[in-house]
Amino acid sequence: MSMQTIGRPTRPETNAVAAAAPEGAKGLLQYEPLIFELGGWSKTGVDLPDVAADVADDLGDLVRTAPIGLPGLSEPETLRHYVRLSQKNHAIDLALYPLGSCTMKHNPRLNEKLARLPGFIDIHPLQPQSSVQGAIELMDRLSHWLTTLTGMPAVALPPKAGAHGELCGLLAIRAAHEARGDARKRVLVPTSAHGTNPATAAFAGYTVEEIAQTTDGRVDLADLEAKLGPDVAAIMVTNPNTCGLFERDVVEIARLTHAAGAYFYCDGANFNAIVGKVRPGDLGVDAMHINLHKTFSTPHGGGGPGAGPVVLSAALAPFAPEPWIVHDQNGYRLIEGREGVAAQAFGRLSAFHGQMGMFVRAYAYMLSHGADGLRQVAEDAVLNANYIKARLGDLMSPAFPDGPCMHEALFDDAWLEGTGVTTLDFAKAMIDAGFHPMTMYFPLVVHGAMLIEPTETESKAELDRFCDTLRVLALDALSAKDDPAALERFKAAPVAAPLRRLDETQAARKPRLKWTQPAAPAPLAAE
Ligand SMILES: *Cc1c(COP(=O)(O)O)cnc(C)c1O
């Protein structure tokens, strides 16, 4: 078999070499074709003995006569392919990942070690429950932590993500209304809400109506009161909200909602800012998802499957989805509604009972921090965000300058006025400066929003490195007012990334989702 080079050597020594490098190759970052374009069809990475003739006879007409049609690569080729792909993504293990409302914090390796214990990693959801008592006990203990931290009596573990948790909560709310013969139609959502809130409400069959926001970034109580009515099933409010602010009137919001016979769904994705400090149950919340992959440090962002358990108030607890965990003299059991306990549940949310690997990681994180440690997580996350707000607030314009923020520092684009530089240009220039951009243009209520969430896991030194870089960039952006070359640099950014500026509209509107055989076998060159 002839040797093949996988991808192309891409350490350009001259400009001519650079020009010859395939598009996307930069420095030590390799251009990487798809595995289908790499693999020789007749090649394989393992040596399997020939199948004995009598085995083939036994298989009769089940014997495969054509190649299986999977690309064949040797072990080093396979490893390099996936390592190169992994290097195309930014990762929390590479550097600060300041996406707002995402809580991209460090994932402690201790969690990984525990999630890989054979008793957790080698089990199957259909195994007899008597053989997975430890795993069910862990789910029960995790539930205990979640209900204790939130001050809510029940939790449903099955949801696989925050948005899935929202769906679970709304289905429980609908089941509760229906149990009273009350078919309500509307769900109220503030203008600053994460897109999943209105999407979930619409998916669950509700009409979505917006609640206005006050100039200081909170729910407009007068507008909420005007819109509440006998056909409102629920409100969905994020607290702290996506402007990085605590909803000061949250208790009053809950009172008005309950007085109208509706339920209070709280989007708990920002729980990182208040864990150990405030219990949502004390604020009048009826249902709230907790993103284990945010607050409790299980990997996400291309790195993990997520998990979005939903805590429920006493009013909604009977409507939690199956299965339920019970613990009696016979040990731990997962039971279903037909056994009588959860007779009003809406059924199963998903085939099995949740993301076991995420449960182990989250529980390990809770135990290793303890209740005091979790409180400090919230305090440090808020401190770090306020540090950024203070260090950048004189150059960039904070969207809500008065008072401290919670775990996110939010800037608008007023400070860029007259420079020709947009939020998008600024974010792209951050890539060239070695930092992943912050969340842009969200929340929608803030013009040209730049939402920065450092999390508690960044040191002061790293925060300073980030702020120093952003200050240099900000001064550069301001100089673009009278310096066309500076403006040009922002418009051209990123220049140091494997790919330049992508057409984001095309990518969203006309994504290329299907692989087609390239016309020429381009990246594979025989040596
Ligand atoms: C992340 C997030 C969600 C959705 O969570 P997923 O796990 O991505 O589905 C919902 N609301 C807010 C405010 C979030 O930050």
Side-chain angles (χ1 to χ4, degrees):
M1 193 170 299
S2 71
M3 279 286 291
Q4 290 179 315
T5 51
I6 304 306
R8 289 270 287 270
T10 53
R11 201 192 316 209
E13 274 149 34
T14 68
N15 285 342
V17 174
E23 191 188 353
K26 276 268 154 49
L28 285 173
L29 278 173
Q30 309 285 317
Y31 170 79
E32 190 62 16
L34 296 180
I35 198 162
F36 296 99
E37 294 159 5
L38 279 178
W41 301 97
S42 56
K43 206 165 94 175
T44 163
V46 281
D47 281 329
L48 294 173
D50 283 341
V51 180
D54 54 338
V55 173
D57 285 348
D58 287 349
L59 287 172
D61 60 1
L62 293 177
V63 169
R64 183 182 293 284
T65 52
I68 195 165
L70 291 176
L73 292 172
S74 68
E75 184 170 308
E77 288 169 343
T78 309
L79 267 175
R80 284 179 186 167
H81 173 68
Y82 287 107
V83 170
R84 284 173 182 165
L85 285 185
S86 76
Q87 289 175 338
K88 292 200 176 298
N89 274 336
H90 185 72
I92 189 64
D93 295 340
L94 281 173
L96 176 96
Y97 208 145
L99 284 183
S101 196
C102 287
T103 311
M104 303 296 294
K105 63 166 82 174
H106 170 67
N107 309 131
R109 291 307 183 266
L110 176 64
N111 302 355
E112 298 302 318
K113 189 173 171 182
L114 297 178
R116 282 166 177 72
L117 290 174
F120 295 126
I121 202 170
D122 294 338
I123 57 177
H124 190 278
L126 293 179
Q127 226 167 293
Q129 293 189 18
S130 59
S131 67
V132 286
Q133 284 291 298
I136 305 177
E137 180 176 353
L138 183 137
M139 289 166 66
D140 191 53
R141 290 187 182 202
L142 175 70
S143 299
H144 179 72
W145 272 82
L146 292 174
T147 52
T148 304
L149 287 169
T150 55
M152 311 275 277
V155 61
L157 295 179
K160 306 278 193 284
H164 204 205
E166 292 170 27
L167 181 64
C168 180
L170 285 195
L171 292 179
I173 286 171
R174 191 166 67 192
H177 283 304
E178 282 174 357
R180 286 198 301 267
D182 189 358
R184 296 183 172 223
K185 292 273 172 275
R186 284 190 298 146
V187 167
L188 306 183
V189 181
T191 39
S192 65
H194 192 270
T196 50
N197 293 186
T200 301
F203 186 76
Y206 289 108
T207 313
V208 180
E209 205 170 323
E210 276 195 359
I211 317 169
Q213 203 169 4
T214 58
T215 46
D216 72 345
R218 271 96 172 176
V219 168
D220 184 331
L221 277 185
D223 194 52
L224 171 67
E225 213 168 348
K227 285 177 180 156
L228 277 168
D231 64 335
V232 171
I235 61 161
M236 297 179 86
V237 172
T238 312
N239 195 23
N241 66 27
T242 56
C243 295
L245 302 170
F246 193 82
E247 289 289 351
R248 258 187 322 251
D249 299 319
V250 62
V251 173
E252 181 62 5
I253 291 172
R255 195 190 65 77
L256 291 171
T257 303
H258 292 148
Y263 291 102
F264 183 175
Y265 187 93
C266 180
D267 179 329
N270 290 341
F271 194 47
N272 205 54
I274 56 171
V275 59
K277 305 287 287 184
V278 181
R279 302 191 312 164
D282 297 340
L283 305 176
V285 168
D286 291 298
M288 181 178 99
H289 69 263
I290 297 166
N291 294 50
L292 298 187
H293 48 291
K294 293 179 182 173
T295 313
F296 297 107
S297 84
T298 70
H300 70 306
V310 177
V311 286
L312 298 166
S313 64
L316 290 181
F319 303 96
E322 299 158 352
W324 290 29
I325 301 170
V326 291
H327 180 209
D328 54 24
Q329 71 278 10
N330 301 319
Y332 289 91
R333 276 187 308 145
L334 292 164
I335 60 162
E336 293 185 42
R338 62 175 170 272
E339 289 184 52
V341 179
Q344 292 174 292
F346 59 77
R348 277 184 183 263
L349 185 72
S350 56
F352 298 122
H353 27 268
Q355 309 277 44
M356 192 65 211
M358 297 296 116
F359 296 162
V360 181
R361 288 174 176 88
Y363 185 58
Y365 182 78
M366 290 165 172
L367 286 189
S368 56
H369 279 73
D372 290 346
L374 291 177
R375 186 177 313 120
Q376 196 186 337
V377 160
E379 288 170 356
D380 290 351
V382 171
L383 180 65
N384 281 0
N386 278 286
Y387 184 68
I388 286 180
K389 185 179 178 188
R391 278 217 56 199
L392 301 179
D394 59 327
L395 284 178
M396 297 164 64
S397 41
F400 301 100
D402 296 337
C405 57
M406 294 296 286
H407 61 308
E408 306 171 291
L410 178 59
F411 299 91
D412 60 25
D413 62 357
W415 66 284
L416 287 171
E417 208 182 315
T419 62
V421 177
T422 64
T423 291
L424 182 70
D425 300 331
F426 188 74
K428 297 295 183 191
M430 285 173 69
I431 299 175
D432 284 338
F435 282 102
H436 191 283
M438 69 288 269
T439 289
M440 296 178 283
Y441 300 105
F442 175 80
L444 304 176
V445 286
V446 169
H447 199 273
M450 304 176 209
L451 182 61
I452 303 175
E453 180 180 356
T455 81
E456 74 283 1
T457 56
E458 297 303 330
S459 66
K460 178 164 180 298
E462 186 62 9
L463 292 180
D464 279 331
R465 212 168 69 81
F466 178 73
C467 291
D468 292 345
T469 306
L470 256 65
R471 288 189 70 83
V472 171
L473 278 181
L475 288 171
D476 229 21
L478 291 171
S479 77
K481 246 181 205 136
D482 347 272
D483 178 2
L487 181 58
E488 204 30 59
R489 280 200 299 281
F490 278 94
K491 293 294 171 196
V495 294
L499 293 178
R500 299 288 296 272
R501 209 174 282 202
L502 305 176
D503 184 336
E504 293 177 12
T505 314
Q506 280 276 94
R509 294 277 157 84
K510 292 190 179 154
R512 279 173 53 199
L513 300 175
K514 200 174 113 233
W515 178 73
T516 41
Q517 178 83 43
L524 278 179
E527 205 141 68

